[in-house]
Amino acid sequence: MNTPTDHTPAVLSYSPVVLSVPGRPVDLEVRVTAPVTGTALPVVLLSHGHGGSHHLSSLNGYAPLAQLWAAAGFVVLQPTHLSSRTLSHRLADAPGAPFFWRSRAQDMSDLVDRLDAIEKTVPQLAGRVDHDRIAVAGHSLGGHTASLLLGARATDPDTGEVVDLTEPRISAGVLLAAPGRGGDALNGPRVGWVPFFRSTDFSTMTTPALVVAGDEDDSRHFTAVGPDWHADPYRLAPAPKTLLTLFGAGHLLGGISGYDAAETTDENPGRVAALGRLTAAWLHSRFRPGDPGWPAACEALTTGDGAVGRVEST
């Protein structure tokens, strides 16, 4: 398998940055991971999944991916959403519990609103962030959050309201093992947990996005469609979209949510490293048109006998 070089630039990680948000039942806490050097750094807002672990679904998770992206030149912001199990004992009866699907998207807009404060709080970061180049990424339930920010719509099952949470300041997105279409495709035993999945409409998701799906990610608790369900945001959304299908990958895509995490069924550090390189290269291609990193990464990692996956685009 072809993987990125072992040399990794130094990064810094700072947490928590604590932000008071009017109307939010608890403060918004954020981890910031950034390269030690460099200026005009683009931002990636990373939305955690729900998961079976407590602390991985918070600002304390996704270190493998956050560090890879920071080393590639991004400032990564990881909020602890209200759906985090670290908060469940305090928010079990709060409106929107347990998944807080609308609040999760609002968290990301709040982070964009407060970029100045975040930049000034984190040591060595002031003056180094590009506020005009912002992307969102999300894994699993976080992928649903990211899709809403990129323009997908959903109907609130409690009110019947069609909800538009598009964030126009976000210009690119990465959906990692994100939920697919609703309707008849949702026929698994746990569909009742996530009624807001039923109405997801990708036809309005116009912001450019890279959709990442594992070819062994069979979410039978939600659907009988099989791993292809996670490719729906690519197939059902308007161009430009890119699909990266990772060979042999399950729902944790090799282990993106944490090092040696018990919930990872397909642990593969090489796959995570390749995913980090490919996603970072794709993001750079959106922020710096003509950047050669994306075709180079695709040539190195998705062709030949050692290919980690395949890429297709609309």
Side-chain angles (χ1 to χ4, degrees):
M1 177 187 295
N2 295 315
T3 56
T5 176
D6 290 335
H7 172 69
T8 303
V11 302
L12 61 86
S13 184
Y14 183 94
S15 71
V17 176
V18 180
L19 304 171
S20 179
V21 178
R24 200 175 191 271
V26 297
D27 288 338
L28 177 58
E29 295 192 349
V30 188
R31 177 180 294 274
V32 181
T33 308
V36 170
T37 61
T39 58
L41 302 171
V43 174
V44 178
L45 313 173
L46 176 54
S47 178
H48 63 73
H50 196 64
S53 301
H54 283 80
H55 289 278
L56 294 182
S57 294
S58 74
L59 58 77
N60 292 313
Y62 295 87
L65 205 50
Q67 291 174 348
L68 287 166
W69 285 344
F74 296 94
V75 176
V76 184
L77 307 184
Q78 296 175 253
T80 295
H81 295 303
L82 296 180
S83 62
S84 173
R85 293 185 182 220
T86 62
L87 298 174
S88 59
H89 63 293
R90 300 171 60 185
L91 301 174
D93 297 323
F99 296 109
F100 296 97
W101 63 276
R102 296 178 69 158
S103 168
R104 290 171 60 98
Q106 184 59 51
D107 285 344
M108 301 312 219
S109 292
D110 289 334
L111 292 185
V112 179
D113 290 341
R114 290 162 172 78
L115 275 179
D116 281 329
I118 293 169
E119 187 176 357
K120 292 174 183 176
T121 300
V122 178
Q124 304 179 44
L125 192 60
R128 300 175 55 216
V129 180
D130 187 338
H131 294 213
D132 295 322
R133 295 191 295 172
I134 301 172
V136 66
H139 173 243
S140 193
L141 180 58
H144 180 265
T145 301
S147 71
L148 295 175
L149 292 161
L150 296 172
R153 305 285 169 83
T155 300
D156 190 316
D158 295 323
T159 66
E161 172 195 9
V162 176
V163 178
D164 178 5
L165 295 169
T166 307
E167 176 48 77
R169 294 170 293 183
I170 292 173
S171 56
V174 178
L175 306 183
L176 302 159
R181 67 189 184 275
D184 292 343
L186 288 179
N187 50 21
R190 298 184 184 174
V191 169
W193 294 6
V194 286
F196 50 92
F197 280 2
R198 289 191 178 277
S199 59
T200 305
D201 179 6
F202 294 110
S203 69
T204 54
M205 196 176 77
T206 57
T207 307
L210 171 63
V211 177
V212 181
D215 69 359
E216 294 185 5
D217 184 6
D218 192 353
S219 299
R220 296 192 175 209
H221 50 298
F222 290 142
T223 181
V225 171
D228 200 51
W229 184 60
H230 296 286
D232 282 346
Y234 167 75
R235 297 199 173 97
L236 301 178
K241 298 292 181 292
T242 299
L243 175 66
L244 168 61
T245 303
L246 292 175
F247 301 150
H251 195 59
L252 275 296
L253 304 174
I256 63 172
S257 67
Y259 297 109
D260 299 321
E263 64 190 56
T264 301
T265 60
D266 64 328
E267 187 167 27
N268 188 319
R271 179 178 298 131
V272 174
L275 173 61
R277 178 178 172 185
L278 285 161
T279 50
W282 183 86
L283 286 167
H284 279 308
S285 76
R286 298 309 310 178
F287 291 136
R288 301 189 306 232
D291 186 283
W294 172 240
C298 288
E299 176 66 24
L301 298 168
T302 66
T303 61
D305 293 339
V308 301
R310 65 176 179 273
V311 172
E312 52 193 285
S313 297
T314 60

